[in-house]
Amino acid sequence: MLLITESLWSALLDSFASLPHKVERVAYLDGVRLGDNLAVGTTVVIPNATLEQGRYRVESDNAAEAGRHMFELNITRLAQIHTH
């Protein structure tokens, strides 16, 4: 189970709303695992991606940049969220 606050969910939706509506949008949720079946989301990350209608692409260097903070903050990538 992944728990996220309403404010984190709102931040994710706000970031999606700021992008063009006819293209796929992508975000990552990072946070802390509290066991095998429980995690808490703490951070929304919007990677630098090529957004197109029906698909997106995150190049490897952009994926690395989008995860650079995780080691420093001792958090992990919990979920990838995208639109259709």
Side-chain angles (χ1 to χ4, degrees), residues 21-82:
H21 291 280
K22 293 184 179 184
V23 298
E24 187 88 6
R25 293 171 294 277
V26 61
Y28 304 133
L29 287 177
D30 299 343
V32 180
R33 291 193 186 279
L34 300 175
D36 292 338
N37 298 316
L38 182 62
V40 177
T42 61
T43 308
V44 173
V45 178
I46 307 298
N48 184 5
T50 302
L51 306 175
E52 299 175 359
Q53 190 171 5
R55 65 182 175 188
Y56 66 90
R57 185 176 64 248
V58 180
E59 299 293 339
S60 59
D61 57 334
N62 293 330
E65 180 64 29
R68 194 157 282 136
H69 65 284
M70 292 191 303
F71 179 76
E72 185 177 304
L73 298 175
N74 197 30
I75 59 177
T76 189
R77 179 115 322 132
L78 301 173
Q80 173 182 291
I81 299 171
H82 63 260

